[in-house]
Amino acid sequence: MLTAECCGYPISIFFIVVNEFCERFSYYGMRAVLVLYFRYFLLWDDDLATSIYHAFVALCYLTPILGAIIADSWLGKFKTIIYLSIVYAIGQVTMAISTIHDITDANRDGTPDNFTFHIALSMLGLILIALGTGGIKPCVAAFGGDQFQEHQSRQLNTFFSVFYLCINAGSLLSTLITPVLRVVFIAGSGMYVKTDPEGNIMWSVCKCIGFAIKNRFRHRSSSYPKREHWMDWANEKYDKLLIAQIKMVLKVLFLYIPLPMFWTLFDQKGSRWTLQATTMSGDFVSILISTVNPILILTLVPIMDRLIFPLIQKCGLNFSPLKRMTVGMLFAAMAFVSAALVQIEIDKTLPNFPSSSESQLKVVNTYSTTLNVTISPNEHLLIDSADYVTFDHQDITVSLNTNPVITKAFSLIKGGRQTLIIPSDPTVMYLKEDVKSKPREGKNAIRFVNGYTADLNITNLDSIEPSATTNYTLVNQGKRDFVLRHGEQWCEFSRKFGFGASYTFLIPSTVFSDDCESITEVEDMKPNSVHMALQIPQYFLITTGEVMFSVTGLQFSYSQAPKNMKSVLQAGWLCTNAVGNIIVLIVAELGKLPKQWAEYLLFASLLVAVSIIFSIMAYFYTYIDPAEIEAQVRKEQGLEPEEMEKETLEMEEKDEDQKNEQGVKQTKI
């Protein structure tokens, strides 16, 4: 069967890369907001949200083993991609349904009434997505490589860069067109090179390795002669070709041992770095940050592939794939140093929150005159100062210098922040609990204290009784208008908000006579002042590392794998990502470093150490040609004449095709 080429590439390749383009957007589009869904919809804390996020990503990179087994021993790569894509789509639909709070929100207050239902449905959706996306991962890249013939080696090397470009380009498109474009992969069915399953190769590999280990243990005595490789102890039972192929795979898998540490850092873009951004300020830049990685990928991959790497080669430097990967790891380490520096700047602007054994209190006065407030034991506050005071004890007594003196006892909340509200009637002063963390999603937490003599209605808030305080309401950045109304009287209060602040607005008794201009504000928490643009350097560094590490790693894994084990080795490559995410999960749950910047520096230091180990391992690695080694083994087994005859026939047919078509490129599949 003959099929035309386009620009030296098999036509079928274009269907494959478009499918990957769509699938990757579906995955990355969901993953980009996943940690925020955990944090702000399911209301999990930062550490739990980070842990579950990385547990999901780890599962996505463990299931490729299952996908490789199914593809190589049962369905083949094409059918595996189709069937698991259906599982994938069901998972995305399930995940989308889990985010509809109206399903359990009976009172329509915007908060689900049954979190267990949403958590269960979202976990089911994530498991199905992990099975789908993970199962097809080792198949797509290997399936694409299968489409190339021997005379297309240059195009094969470029394919992995194009393949990676499509992964990142997909994350820039709308999810609405993803289901439409997904059918493109099936449309190219008749053009693909579809290799049949070759038996349960994974099981055969495991049995062969197991037999070699067991046989070596049986003959551990020094009386038995040593063999060149420990896998040679399987010669008594297994074919030499299989043993040679396993040797090639094990050689690469051994090189993979240090690689998870890169993914440990890289995948925190979607967790720790996203949470870091919520404590920063920014308007349009927030959109840029969410897309900066794929934009940089689309820019850097062709620059690296067509300019940087050829330039290095022309300078006479041997910038081999493993050296590129080492440099990529160092770039990722520098990215985390940059993230640590940004975090230090953020920490300078954060409030001094109380520890679990401390309490913080401030005083707000809506009384008509200035008061001195004495808080025993031995604390003297002037209410003109709205700063928090920290106490290491919870039981306090508050005294006001009124005539007569008013004294009242209170019990503070451990680890909490509270405000003592002194209304127009000081005898009913009361405590109101304050927010003790930055408002979610960079929003602003606001509340009103009613110093008016009657009930007030405020836009989007409940009616407020005299001397009462509303609960906090979250508002977005920008100008916000609030209409205060009592009967026929009303006025409008406007305020422009930044990011991540908290305010208490004091409504005086003269609010309507001066058209709301007398409303004063108390800043409970300062707005974010470190701009999101400071994250761009760390994204640039991590993306540069990704281009050098990940794109090169995909190509390296394919080139060093025997033909019948390419999916297996692709699965092994993806498993390094899973292990990396498990490391993050462990650190998030057990590390509990007091400062986030210290955690960033810890990860950066570990990756530098690992990159040194990897560079030493890479120095002693010898690149191989799997086809050449397989041919040599076949020759030793007496299979050379048949193979040479087949190869000669293919070359003659190809030469004849080229002559007949007068320069039109064709290939035989």
Side-chain angles (χ1 to χ4, degrees), residues 518-643:
S518 59
I519 294 178
T520 58
E521 70 176 46
V522 176
E523 192 176 63
D524 302 333
M525 194 176 298
K526 294 182 181 296
N528 301 342
S529 58
V530 178
H531 204 275
M532 285 183 184
L534 288 182
Q535 280 193 319
I536 292 178
Q538 67 200 56
Y539 274 95
F540 175 80
L541 290 169
I542 200 75
T543 304
T544 304
E546 179 187 5
V547 171
M548 291 191 169
F549 182 90
S550 191
V551 178
T552 306
L554 277 173
Q555 178 184 343
F556 175 79
S557 298
Y558 187 88
S559 68
Q560 299 296 291
K563 185 177 180 180
N564 64 334
M565 295 188 186
K566 292 190 183 297
S567 292
V568 174
L569 203 51
Q570 288 290 325
W573 163 259
L574 295 169
C575 278
T576 64
N577 196 312
V579 176
N581 280 273
I582 292 172
I583 294 173
V584 182
L585 192 154
I586 293 171
V587 172
E589 287 299 313
L590 301 179
K592 304 293 184 184
L593 292 178
K595 296 292 184 181
Q596 186 59 52
W597 64 263
E599 183 178 294
Y600 288 148
L601 289 182
L602 172 63
F603 280 124
S605 301
L606 289 174
L607 186 57
V608 170
V610 166
S611 64
I612 294 173
I613 296 172
F614 179 74
S615 65
I616 296 172
M617 296 171 65
Y619 178 80
F620 292 100
Y621 182 84
T622 304
Y623 293 87
I624 61 172
D625 183 349
E628 184 178 327
I629 294 176
E630 289 174 333
Q632 183 178 352
V633 174
R634 290 191 180 98
K635 179 179 179 181
E636 294 174 356
Q637 293 180 318
L639 300 176
E640 183 189 17
E642 180 182 350
E643 296 297 324

Side-chain angles (χ1 to χ4, degrees), residues 351 353-354 360 388 415-419 432-440 444-447 471-474 500-503 524-525:
F353 294 114
Q360 287 185 339
Y388 284 94
R417 289 181 139 200
Q418 292 171 280
T419 295
K432 193 71 175 179
E433 188 173 357
D434 301 348
V435 291
K436 58 178 182 180
S437 62
K438 278 287 185 178
R440 65 193 190 190
N444 300 273
I446 65 169
R447 63 184 177 183
N471 293 323
Y472 280 109
T473 298
L474 294 179
S502 175
Y503 300 97
D524 302 333
M525 194 176 298

Side-chain angles (χ1 to χ4, degrees), residues 469-524:
T469 304
T470 66
N471 293 323
Y472 280 109
T473 298
L474 294 179
V475 297
N476 292 323
Q477 174 267 349
K479 185 180 179 182
R480 295 291 176 266
D481 299 323
F482 304 92
V483 177
L484 283 68
R485 189 181 300 275
H486 173 69
E488 297 299 323
Q489 300 183 86
W490 68 276
C491 64
E492 186 176 80
F493 169 65
S494 297
R495 173 68 159 80
K496 187 175 182 180
F497 295 97
F499 295 85
S502 175
Y503 300 97
T504 298
F505 293 106
L506 309 179
I507 303 173
S509 58
T510 58
V511 61
F512 293 121
S513 60
D514 56 23
D515 201 24
C516 282
E517 291 185 2
S518 59
I519 294 178
T520 58
E521 70 176 46
V522 176
E523 192 176 63
D524 302 333

Side-chain angles (χ1 to χ4, degrees), residues 342-358:
V342 171
Q343 190 63 47
I344 290 173
E345 291 301 310
I346 293 173
D347 289 348
K348 291 177 182 177
T349 67
L350 292 178
N352 181 27
F353 294 114
S355 67
S356 58
S357 62
E358 295 176 331

